[in-house]
């Protein structure tokens, strides 16, 4: 009799435990954040993780009756690893949202998992135009390379740059940069006289830059992913290419805020086009930069950080709008069409394309308070992804 009572009590206790963990599950809203925290793209992972944690510290973790839980995983920048991690996050952790994605091949590798599991996939870094078409569950808060490339191809020929050599990393965003820059420059009466591609992994820029020096164009247009700009800048200057009269231009990935201040005065006056600068003159951005630096031992936020910060905003507001009900389709619907002020300026998630619409700024490297910054001097407002009109 006693034994039976004990067994029953144990069963009740176990059942109660089960109910508690099920309740905890139901009360938790999980964001699976997949980032390159090691390897060549580690600075992107570090920036985005710091930005998401800042957003949570500033906005709390209780939203619409749910407690937000961030699960951070390192994919080392390897697509196969990201795919396996995404699968585990969906199947085992039952995450409500997948986020991060430091490189285009990673975003593309995870897209089928988002589609099959109906889990929103928030792209905070990768920037090849095609990404949003890889799954109807993808939303992008980073930027698109054609936006930056076209902005530069409009500016350059109006500023004495007619003959250009392009130098890009040989994968998705680099091919986009090369194509969209060339098409637009040609349309504007300029000319790309040579197109060079360097490998994504461990590139040696030296032989390519030597070739550019021999060709002697008006300018060299560069796209390399965040983290690789400083190496290009160093070798460009070491070869005295600036002194030989070759201008250096590019998408803003080149003069990445994560590295810019360490590039030295040789970087002064380099003009790039991009959606974000840490020097963007708005009250909201000043607050963002100050808080980010304070929370991260003086680290300056770059465009990757802002993609992560805004991605969290989109997720939080979708959860709020759906009153905590969750559900991939409902969340996705609430992410589409969001419009808000970002540290980058005004920003909009186009409901049709699920891609970001925002300002593109022309910026020049200048010294402010003894530090190098990308100082904005012109703007193309509310630019959609030029790749979407193909
Ligand atoms: C990309 O892989 O899509 C990518 C990565 C880093 C960048 C831009 C694009 O700075």
């Amino acid at each position: 009799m006693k034994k039976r009572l004990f067994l029953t009590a144990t069963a009740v206790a176990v059942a109660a435990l089960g109910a508690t963990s099920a309740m905890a599950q139901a009360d938790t809203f999980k964001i699976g954040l997949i980032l390159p925290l090691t390897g060549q793209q580690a600075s992107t992972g570090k920036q985005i993780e710091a930005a998401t944690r800042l957003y949570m510290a500033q906005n709390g973790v209780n939203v619409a009756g749910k407690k937000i839980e961030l699960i951070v995983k390192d994919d080392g920048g390897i697509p196969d690893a990201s795919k396996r991690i995404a699968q585990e996050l969906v199947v085992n952790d039952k995450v409500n949202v997948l986020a991060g994605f430091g490189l285009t091949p990673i975003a593309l590798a995870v897209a089928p998992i988002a589609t099959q599991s109906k889990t929103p996939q928030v792209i905070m870094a990768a920037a090849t135009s095609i990404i949003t078409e890889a799954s109807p569950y993808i939303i992008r808060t980073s930027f698109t390379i054609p936006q930056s490339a076209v902005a530069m191809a409009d500016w350059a020929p109006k500023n004495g740059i007619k003959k250009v050599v392009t130098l890009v990393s040989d994968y998705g965003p680099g091919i986009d940069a090369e194509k969209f820059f060339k098409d637009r420059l040609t349309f504007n009466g300029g000319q790309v006289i040579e197109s060079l591609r360097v490998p994504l992994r461990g590139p040696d820029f030296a032989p390519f830059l030597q070739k550019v020096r021999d060709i002697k164009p008006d300018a060299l247009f560069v796209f390399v992913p965040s983290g690789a700009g400083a190496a290009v800048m160093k070798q460009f200057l070491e070869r005295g290419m600036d002194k030989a009269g070759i201008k250096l231009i590019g998408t803003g990935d080149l003069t990445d805020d994560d590295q810019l201040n360490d590039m030295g005065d040789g970087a002064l006056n380099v003009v790039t086009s991009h959606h974000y600068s840490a020097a963007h003159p708005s009250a909201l951005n000043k607050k963002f930069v100050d808080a980010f630096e304070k929370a991260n031992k003086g680290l300056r936020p770059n465009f990757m950080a802002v993609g992560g910060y805004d991605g969290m905003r989109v997720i939080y507001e979708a959860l709020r709008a759906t009153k905590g009900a969750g559900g991939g389709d409902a969340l996705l619907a609430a992410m589409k069409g969001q419009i808000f002020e970002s540290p980058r300026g005004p920003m909009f998630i186009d409901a049709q394309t699920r891609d970001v619409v925002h300002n593109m700024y022309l910026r020049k490297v200048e010294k402010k308070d003894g530090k190098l910054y990308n100082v904005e001097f012109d703007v193309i407002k509310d630019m959609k992804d030029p790749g979407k009109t193909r």
Side-chain angles (χ1 to χ4, degrees):
M1 183 68 189
K2 261 202 175 139
K3 196 172 171 194
R4 221 155 117 209
L5 243 177
F6 172 76
L7 276 178
T8 317
T10 312
V12 169
V14 169
L17 244 175
T20 323
S21 74
M23 261 166 64
Q25 180 86 13
D27 284 345
T28 312
F29 185 86
K30 294 185 184 173
I31 302 170
L33 186 64
I34 309 177
L35 292 172
L37 292 163
T38 53
Q40 200 175 284
Q41 256 60 46
S43 63
T44 293
K46 184 178 179 185
Q47 287 272 353
I48 295 180
E49 182 180 2
T52 55
R53 294 206 187 279
L54 176 65
Y55 191 90
M56 292 173 79
Q58 289 176 333
N59 294 278
V61 292
N62 298 305
V63 177
K66 299 272 178 175
K67 184 160 187 292
I68 294 185
E69 187 187 328
L70 187 70
I71 306 175
V72 182
K73 300 277 183 192
D74 176 19
D75 64 15
I78 309 294
D80 280 348
S82 324
K83 198 169 168 184
R84 178 181 45 75
I85 292 167
Q87 235 143 13
E88 285 167 9
L89 285 170
V90 166
V91 175
N92 301 342
D93 297 293
K94 306 208 168 15
V95 295
N96 301 85
V97 173
L98 290 164
F101 313 106
L103 286 169
T104 289
I106 288 172
L108 295 177
V110 172
I113 297 168
T115 306
Q116 282 153 24
S117 63
K118 299 185 186 297
T119 308
Q121 182 184 353
V122 179
I123 311 293
M124 295 171 159
T128 304
S129 175
I130 201 87
I131 289 172
T132 43
E133 290 162 47
S135 167
Y137 288 86
I138 287 180
I139 290 270
R140 174 152 42 197
T141 60
S142 49
F143 71 109
T144 84
I145 284 291
Q147 289 172 328
S148 287
V150 162
M152 181 45 75
D154 278 344
W155 179 83
K158 285 188 260 164
N159 290 274
I161 296 170
K162 301 279 190 216
K163 288 191 189 323
V164 181
V165 173
T166 60
L167 174 71
V168 303
S169 288
D170 191 6
Y171 79 115
I175 313 285
D176 266 6
E178 181 186 284
K179 178 186 183 323
F180 282 85
F181 180 81
K182 181 177 180 174
D183 287 356
R184 188 66 158 237
L185 188 77
T186 309
F187 176 81
N188 287 334
Q191 206 187 342
V192 169
I193 51 180
E194 179 84 54
S195 303
L196 305 172
R197 296 180 184 179
V198 295
L200 170 62
R201 309 270 170 208
D204 175 10
F205 299 109
F208 296 97
L209 291 176
Q210 192 52 50
K211 191 159 183 195
V212 177
R213 214 194 139 132
D214 296 342
I215 298 170
K216 209 173 174 309
D218 297 331
L220 172 66
F221 168 85
V222 174
F223 165 80
V224 287
S226 180
V232 175
M233 185 71 76
K234 184 164 177 277
Q235 297 196 21
F236 183 86
L237 297 172
E238 273 173 10
R239 285 198 154 56
M241 295 175 70
D242 53 336
K243 306 231 164 48
I246 303 168
K247 290 204 170 65
L248 182 61
I249 56 174
T251 62
D253 312 73
L254 176 65
T255 54
D256 187 345
D257 269 306
D258 189 78
Q259 301 184 314
L260 177 60
N261 195 42
D262 296 323
M263 290 184 191
D265 287 357
L268 283 168
N269 299 319
V270 169
V271 174
T272 56
S273 48
H274 226 36
H275 58 293
Y276 180 69
S277 163
H280 178 64
S282 73
L284 181 70
N285 184 49
K286 192 168 179 341
K287 212 175 125 214
F288 169 68
V289 173
D290 288 348
F292 189 95
E293 290 185 345
K294 199 161 165 232
N296 297 284
K297 300 194 180 90
L299 179 71
R300 185 193 291 182
N302 70 356
F303 60 96
M304 293 302 187
V306 93
Y309 192 76
D310 292 336
M312 288 300 276
R313 193 274 181 198
V314 167
I315 296 167
Y316 266 57
E317 291 309 316
L319 180 57
R320 224 186 295 279
T322 54
K323 302 193 166 41
D329 286 304
L331 284 170
L332 189 82
M335 290 176 177
K336 292 181 190 175
Q338 283 195 31
I339 180 163
F340 56 98
E341 190 193 352
S342 150
R344 73 187 79 181
M347 155 153 179
F348 169 54
I349 303 292
D350 185 331
Q352 253 77 54
T353 61
R354 291 165 279 100
D355 220 335
V356 56
V357 178
H358 52 187
N359 293 345
M360 275 292 136
Y361 305 91
L362 276 309
R363 317 95 50 84
K364 186 193 267 181
V365 177
E366 287 177 16
K367 212 168 233 183
K368 271 179 45 181
D369 306 324
K371 291 186 181 150
L372 297 179
Y373 280 98
N374 294 297
V375 176
E376 296 166 358
F377 63 86
D378 203 356
V379 59
I380 301 163
K381 290 212 163 130
D382 304 326
M383 199 197 266
K384 285 188 163 200
D385 174 28
K388 295 293 183 292
T389 51
R390 275 182 299 242

